[in-house]
Short mmCIF file of all heavy atoms in Angstrom, two decimals:
data_model
loop_
_atom_site.label_atom_id
_atom_site.label_comp_id
_atom_site.label_asym_id
_atom_site.label_seq_id
_atom_site.Cartn_x
_atom_site.Cartn_y
_atom_site.Cartn_z
N ASP A 162 0.81 -1.28 -0.02
CA ASP A 162 -0.03 0.07 0.03
C ASP A 162 0.90 1.25 0.01
O ASP A 162 1.87 1.35 0.83
CB ASP A 162 -0.91 -0.01 1.25
CG ASP A 162 -2.11 -0.85 1.02
OD1 ASP A 162 -2.30 -1.57 0.10
OD2 ASP A 162 -3.02 -0.93 2.01
N PHE A 163 0.60 2.14 -0.83
CA PHE A 163 1.46 3.42 -1.00
C PHE A 163 0.54 4.64 -0.52
O PHE A 163 -0.61 4.73 -0.97
CB PHE A 163 1.73 3.58 -2.55
CG PHE A 163 2.53 2.56 -3.10
CD1 PHE A 163 1.94 1.33 -3.62
CD2 PHE A 163 3.91 2.64 -3.19
CE1 PHE A 163 2.63 0.35 -4.21
CE2 PHE A 163 4.67 1.49 -3.81
CZ PHE A 163 4.01 0.42 -4.33
N TYR A 164 1.21 5.45 0.28
CA TYR A 164 0.56 6.57 0.83
C TYR A 164 1.19 7.93 0.35
O TYR A 164 2.48 7.91 0.18
CB TYR A 164 0.61 6.47 2.35
CG TYR A 164 -0.17 5.48 2.89
CD1 TYR A 164 0.39 4.09 2.96
CD2 TYR A 164 -1.37 5.61 3.72
CE1 TYR A 164 -0.17 3.00 3.63
CE2 TYR A 164 -2.08 4.55 4.23
CZ TYR A 164 -1.50 3.29 4.11
OH TYR A 164 -2.07 2.14 4.76
N ALA A 165 0.45 8.93 0.22
CA ALA A 165 0.97 10.17 -0.40
C ALA A 165 1.61 11.00 0.64
O ALA A 165 1.31 10.64 1.90
CB ALA A 165 -0.27 10.98 -0.95
N GLN A 166 2.34 11.82 0.29
CA GLN A 166 3.07 12.66 1.26
C GLN A 166 2.10 13.50 2.10
O GLN A 166 1.08 14.08 1.43
CB GLN A 166 4.00 13.67 0.54
CG GLN A 166 5.18 13.15 -0.08
CD GLN A 166 6.27 12.84 0.80
OE1 GLN A 166 6.31 13.09 2.10
NE2 GLN A 166 7.49 12.35 0.21
N GLY A 167 2.09 13.48 3.46
CA GLY A 167 1.19 14.33 4.19
C GLY A 167 -0.22 13.61 4.40
O GLY A 167 -1.21 14.18 4.91
N GLN A 168 -0.43 12.32 3.80
CA GLN A 168 -1.66 11.72 3.88
C GLN A 168 -1.43 10.30 4.44
O GLN A 168 -1.44 9.18 3.76
CB GLN A 168 -2.41 11.68 2.54
CG GLN A 168 -2.69 12.99 2.04
CD GLN A 168 -3.43 12.88 0.75
OE1 GLN A 168 -4.10 11.95 0.28
NE2 GLN A 168 -3.17 13.90 -0.23
N PRO A 169 -1.08 10.07 5.68
CA PRO A 169 -0.52 8.82 6.25
C PRO A 169 -1.80 7.70 6.55
O PRO A 169 -1.29 6.66 6.84
CB PRO A 169 0.18 9.26 7.48
CG PRO A 169 -0.62 10.43 8.01
CD PRO A 169 -1.00 11.17 6.79
N ASP A 170 -2.95 8.27 6.35
CA ASP A 170 -3.87 7.25 6.82
C ASP A 170 -4.72 6.54 5.78
O ASP A 170 -5.37 5.52 5.98
CB ASP A 170 -5.04 7.98 7.64
CG ASP A 170 -4.49 8.66 8.93
OD1 ASP A 170 -3.51 8.09 9.50
OD2 ASP A 170 -4.72 9.83 9.24
N ARG A 171 -4.63 7.08 4.52
CA ARG A 171 -5.30 6.43 3.43
C ARG A 171 -4.54 6.19 2.17
O ARG A 171 -3.93 7.14 1.64
CB ARG A 171 -6.53 7.34 2.99
CG ARG A 171 -7.57 6.75 2.10
CD ARG A 171 -8.75 7.58 1.86
NE ARG A 171 -9.61 7.11 0.89
CZ ARG A 171 -10.78 7.63 0.54
NH1 ARG A 171 -11.03 8.83 1.07
NH2 ARG A 171 -11.45 7.17 -0.29
N PRO A 172 -4.21 4.99 1.81
CA PRO A 172 -3.40 4.71 0.70
C PRO A 172 -3.96 5.22 -0.63
O PRO A 172 -5.24 5.20 -0.83
CB PRO A 172 -3.38 3.10 0.63
CG PRO A 172 -4.55 2.62 1.35
CD PRO A 172 -4.91 3.68 2.36
N ILE A 173 -3.08 5.59 -1.56
CA ILE A 173 -3.58 6.16 -2.82
C ILE A 173 -3.37 5.06 -3.93
O ILE A 173 -4.08 5.08 -4.95
CB ILE A 173 -2.75 7.47 -3.22
CG1 ILE A 173 -1.05 7.13 -3.18
CG2 ILE A 173 -3.04 8.63 -2.35
CD1 ILE A 173 -0.30 8.12 -3.88
N LYS A 174 -2.47 4.10 -3.74
CA LYS A 174 -2.30 2.94 -4.71
C LYS A 174 -2.00 1.75 -3.85
O LYS A 174 -1.66 1.78 -2.77
CB LYS A 174 -0.93 3.29 -5.61
CG LYS A 174 -1.21 4.60 -6.51
CD LYS A 174 -0.16 4.56 -7.66
CE LYS A 174 1.25 4.26 -7.24
NZ LYS A 174 2.16 4.39 -8.36
N ARG A 175 -2.29 0.63 -4.70
CA ARG A 175 -2.12 -0.71 -4.06
C ARG A 175 -1.47 -1.59 -5.12
O ARG A 175 -2.04 -1.72 -6.14
CB ARG A 175 -3.42 -1.23 -3.51
CG ARG A 175 -3.20 -2.76 -3.00
CD ARG A 175 -4.46 -3.13 -2.19
NE ARG A 175 -4.59 -2.21 -0.96
CZ ARG A 175 -5.86 -1.92 -0.51
NH1 ARG A 175 -6.92 -2.43 -0.93
NH2 ARG A 175 -5.79 -1.15 0.64
N MET A 176 -0.40 -2.19 -4.77
CA MET A 176 0.14 -3.32 -5.59
C MET A 176 -0.12 -4.57 -5.07
O MET A 176 0.09 -4.83 -3.89
CB MET A 176 1.69 -3.14 -5.71
CG MET A 176 2.47 -3.96 -6.80
SD MET A 176 2.65 -5.70 -6.31
CE MET A 176 3.88 -5.55 -5.06
N GLU A 177 -0.68 -5.61 -5.86
CA GLU A 177 -0.91 -6.92 -5.40
C GLU A 177 -0.44 -7.90 -6.40
O GLU A 177 -0.36 -7.71 -7.57
CB GLU A 177 -2.43 -7.11 -5.31
CG GLU A 177 -3.03 -6.31 -4.15
CD GLU A 177 -4.54 -6.54 -4.24
OE1 GLU A 177 -5.22 -5.91 -5.08
OE2 GLU A 177 -5.07 -7.07 -3.25
N ILE A 178 0.27 -8.89 -5.83
CA ILE A 178 0.83 -10.03 -6.68
C ILE A 178 -0.26 -11.23 -6.74
O ILE A 178 -0.68 -11.64 -5.72
CB ILE A 178 2.14 -10.58 -6.20
CG1 ILE A 178 3.23 -9.42 -6.37
CG2 ILE A 178 2.59 -11.84 -6.79
CD1 ILE A 178 4.59 -9.81 -5.78
N GLN A 179 -0.55 -11.57 -7.93
CA GLN A 179 -1.49 -12.65 -8.13
C GLN A 179 -0.78 -14.05 -8.39
O GLN A 179 -1.33 -15.02 -8.04
CB GLN A 179 -2.38 -12.41 -9.49
CG GLN A 179 -3.52 -11.60 -9.15
CD GLN A 179 -3.18 -10.11 -9.04
OE1 GLN A 179 -2.16 -9.62 -9.78
NE2 GLN A 179 -3.72 -9.24 -8.08
N ARG A 180 0.48 -14.07 -8.86
CA ARG A 180 1.18 -15.27 -9.10
C ARG A 180 2.72 -15.11 -9.04
O ARG A 180 3.34 -14.14 -9.53
CB ARG A 180 0.83 -15.70 -10.53
CG ARG A 180 1.48 -16.98 -10.93
CD ARG A 180 1.09 -17.38 -12.35
NE ARG A 180 2.12 -18.27 -12.98
CZ ARG A 180 2.27 -18.37 -14.31
NH1 ARG A 180 1.63 -17.66 -15.09
NH2 ARG A 180 3.28 -19.27 -14.73
N ILE A 181 3.31 -16.07 -8.33
CA ILE A 181 4.72 -16.02 -8.39
C ILE A 181 5.16 -17.52 -8.81
O ILE A 181 4.45 -18.50 -8.45
CB ILE A 181 5.40 -15.75 -6.97
CG1 ILE A 181 4.84 -16.72 -6.02
CG2 ILE A 181 5.15 -14.28 -6.75
CD1 ILE A 181 5.64 -16.41 -4.47
N ASP A 182 6.23 -17.74 -9.47
CA ASP A 182 6.74 -19.02 -9.74
C ASP A 182 8.18 -19.04 -9.45
O ASP A 182 8.93 -17.98 -9.35
CB ASP A 182 6.66 -19.28 -11.37
CG ASP A 182 5.23 -19.52 -11.67
OD1 ASP A 182 4.23 -19.79 -10.94
OD2 ASP A 182 4.89 -19.60 -13.01
N ARG A 183 8.73 -20.08 -9.35
CA ARG A 183 10.10 -20.37 -9.12
C ARG A 183 10.84 -20.92 -10.42
O ARG A 183 10.55 -21.78 -10.94
CB ARG A 183 10.47 -21.45 -7.99
CG ARG A 183 11.80 -21.29 -7.39
CD ARG A 183 11.85 -22.01 -6.08
NE ARG A 183 13.11 -21.59 -5.36
CZ ARG A 183 13.37 -21.83 -4.07
NH1 ARG A 183 12.45 -22.63 -3.44
NH2 ARG A 183 14.38 -21.49 -3.54
N ILE A 184 11.68 -19.98 -10.98
CA ILE A 184 12.25 -20.11 -12.33
C ILE A 184 13.81 -20.28 -12.04
O ILE A 184 14.34 -19.38 -11.57
CB ILE A 184 11.81 -19.12 -13.27
CG1 ILE A 184 10.24 -19.13 -13.47
CG2 ILE A 184 12.56 -19.27 -14.61
CD1 ILE A 184 9.81 -18.11 -14.33
N GLN A 185 14.36 -21.35 -12.63
CA GLN A 185 15.87 -21.40 -12.29
C GLN A 185 16.34 -21.28 -10.91
O GLN A 185 17.37 -20.75 -10.76
CB GLN A 185 16.56 -20.56 -13.32
CG GLN A 185 16.41 -20.77 -14.87
CD GLN A 185 16.96 -19.66 -15.67
OE1 GLN A 185 16.20 -19.02 -16.45
NE2 GLN A 185 18.27 -19.44 -15.61
N GLY A 186 15.39 -21.65 -10.03
CA GLY A 186 15.75 -21.44 -8.63
C GLY A 186 15.41 -20.11 -7.99
O GLY A 186 15.56 -20.00 -6.77
N TYR A 187 14.96 -19.13 -8.78
CA TYR A 187 14.70 -17.76 -8.24
C TYR A 187 13.08 -17.52 -8.31
O TYR A 187 12.47 -17.83 -9.26
CB TYR A 187 15.23 -16.73 -9.21
CG TYR A 187 16.78 -16.90 -9.40
CD1 TYR A 187 17.25 -17.38 -10.67
CD2 TYR A 187 17.63 -16.56 -8.41
CE1 TYR A 187 18.63 -17.43 -10.82
CE2 TYR A 187 19.03 -16.72 -8.51
CZ TYR A 187 19.49 -17.04 -9.82
OH TYR A 187 20.89 -17.15 -10.04
N TRP A 188 12.53 -17.04 -7.21
CA TRP A 188 11.33 -16.65 -7.02
C TRP A 188 10.93 -15.47 -7.91
O TRP A 188 11.73 -14.54 -8.01
CB TRP A 188 10.83 -16.33 -5.63
CG TRP A 188 10.76 -17.49 -4.61
CD1 TRP A 188 11.60 -17.88 -3.78
CD2 TRP A 188 9.58 -18.49 -4.67
NE1 TRP A 188 11.14 -19.00 -3.08
CE2 TRP A 188 9.90 -19.42 -3.66
CE3 TRP A 188 8.49 -18.61 -5.37
CZ2 TRP A 188 9.19 -20.50 -3.41
CZ3 TRP A 188 7.64 -19.62 -5.03
CH2 TRP A 188 7.97 -20.58 -4.11
N THR A 189 9.94 -15.60 -8.83
CA THR A 189 9.76 -14.57 -9.79
C THR A 189 8.34 -14.14 -9.85
O THR A 189 7.32 -14.95 -9.79
CB THR A 189 10.01 -15.20 -11.19
OG1 THR A 189 11.49 -15.74 -11.24
CG2 THR A 189 10.04 -14.06 -12.31
N VAL A 190 8.05 -12.80 -9.91
CA VAL A 190 6.66 -12.31 -9.93
C VAL A 190 6.23 -12.61 -11.48
O VAL A 190 6.77 -12.02 -12.48
CB VAL A 190 6.63 -10.69 -9.65
CG1 VAL A 190 5.23 -10.29 -9.86
CG2 VAL A 190 7.07 -10.62 -8.23
N MET A 191 5.06 -13.23 -11.66
CA MET A 191 4.55 -13.44 -12.93
C MET A 191 3.36 -12.69 -13.44
O MET A 191 3.01 -12.49 -14.47
CB MET A 191 4.22 -15.08 -13.05
CG MET A 191 5.42 -15.97 -12.80
SD MET A 191 6.87 -15.63 -13.92
CE MET A 191 6.28 -16.36 -15.44
N ASP A 192 2.63 -12.22 -12.28
CA ASP A 192 1.36 -11.61 -12.59
C ASP A 192 1.14 -10.65 -11.36
O ASP A 192 1.10 -11.10 -10.16
CB ASP A 192 0.22 -12.42 -12.73
CG ASP A 192 -0.93 -11.90 -13.37
OD1 ASP A 192 -1.03 -10.68 -13.49
OD2 ASP A 192 -1.84 -12.67 -13.90
N SER A 193 1.05 -9.31 -11.69
CA SER A 193 0.80 -8.41 -10.56
C SER A 193 -0.05 -7.19 -11.18
O SER A 193 -0.20 -6.96 -12.37
CB SER A 193 2.16 -7.82 -10.03
OG SER A 193 2.94 -7.10 -11.04
N THR A 194 -0.72 -6.53 -10.24
CA THR A 194 -1.49 -5.30 -10.58
C THR A 194 -1.17 -4.18 -9.72
O THR A 194 -0.86 -4.32 -8.38
CB THR A 194 -3.04 -5.54 -10.40
OG1 THR A 194 -3.32 -5.96 -9.06
CG2 THR A 194 -3.37 -6.64 -11.48
N MET A 195 -1.16 -2.87 -10.23
CA MET A 195 -1.01 -1.65 -9.54
C MET A 195 -2.44 -0.97 -9.67
O MET A 195 -2.88 -0.72 -10.78
CB MET A 195 0.18 -0.81 -10.03
CG MET A 195 0.30 0.44 -9.07
SD MET A 195 0.99 0.17 -7.49
CE MET A 195 2.84 0.20 -7.98
N THR A 196 -3.02 -0.64 -8.47
CA THR A 196 -4.37 -0.07 -8.67
C THR A 196 -4.33 1.35 -8.09
O THR A 196 -3.78 1.68 -7.03
CB THR A 196 -5.46 -0.78 -7.89
OG1 THR A 196 -5.45 -2.14 -8.39
CG2 THR A 196 -6.80 -0.30 -7.97
N ASP A 197 -4.83 2.32 -8.87
CA ASP A 197 -5.14 3.59 -8.35
C ASP A 197 -6.44 3.50 -7.43
O ASP A 197 -7.49 3.31 -8.06
CB ASP A 197 -5.26 4.74 -9.47
CG ASP A 197 -5.41 6.07 -9.06
OD1 ASP A 197 -6.28 6.31 -8.11
OD2 ASP A 197 -4.88 6.95 -9.68
N LEU A 198 -6.28 3.72 -6.14
CA LEU A 198 -7.51 3.58 -5.27
C LEU A 198 -8.54 4.55 -5.41
O LEU A 198 -9.72 4.43 -4.89
CB LEU A 198 -6.92 3.32 -3.90
CG LEU A 198 -6.19 2.15 -3.67
CD1 LEU A 198 -5.59 2.07 -2.25
CD2 LEU A 198 -6.72 0.87 -3.91
N SER A 199 -8.24 5.78 -5.95
CA SER A 199 -9.25 6.69 -6.15
C SER A 199 -10.12 6.54 -7.36
O SER A 199 -11.22 6.83 -7.42
CB SER A 199 -8.55 8.25 -6.11
OG SER A 199 -7.66 8.35 -7.25
N SER A 200 -9.47 6.18 -8.56
CA SER A 200 -10.19 6.04 -9.88
C SER A 200 -10.61 4.60 -10.15
O SER A 200 -11.39 4.27 -10.91
CB SER A 200 -9.30 6.50 -10.87
OG SER A 200 -8.17 5.70 -11.09
N GLY A 201 -9.85 3.48 -9.40
CA GLY A 201 -10.05 2.20 -9.71
C GLY A 201 -9.34 1.76 -10.91
O GLY A 201 -9.29 0.53 -11.26
N HIS A 202 -8.64 2.65 -11.61
CA HIS A 202 -7.82 2.30 -12.81
C HIS A 202 -6.72 1.34 -12.49
O HIS A 202 -6.18 1.50 -11.36
CB HIS A 202 -7.24 3.49 -13.48
CG HIS A 202 -6.68 3.16 -14.79
ND1 HIS A 202 -5.31 2.87 -14.97
CD2 HIS A 202 -7.17 3.40 -16.01
CE1 HIS A 202 -5.10 2.75 -16.19
NE2 HIS A 202 -6.04 2.96 -16.86
#
């Protein structure tokens, strides 16, 4: 959760990981979203 400067109580954006895989021994993010919490974009 990301918070704007001077607005510590309500996040402005949220990053969520939907899928991780282990590739060549390394954990790898395969599917993720960043959401603008005010617009829903």
Side-chain angles (χ1 to χ4, degrees):
D162 281 4
F163 300 85
Y164 295 76
Q166 296 275 3
Q168 300 177 33
D170 300 322
R171 186 175 180 179
I173 56 170
K174 297 199 309 183
R175 176 169 295 151
M176 189 281 291
E177 295 176 289
I178 290 178
Q179 281 73 42
R180 177 184 158 204
I181 59 175
D182 286 347
R183 200 161 196 171
I184 297 175
Q185 295 172 240
Y187 304 108
W188 287 104
T189 308
V190 176
M191 304 299 289
D192 200 343
S193 64
T194 57
M195 182 75 85
T196 304
D197 182 316
L198 296 175
S199 61
S200 68
H202 190 276

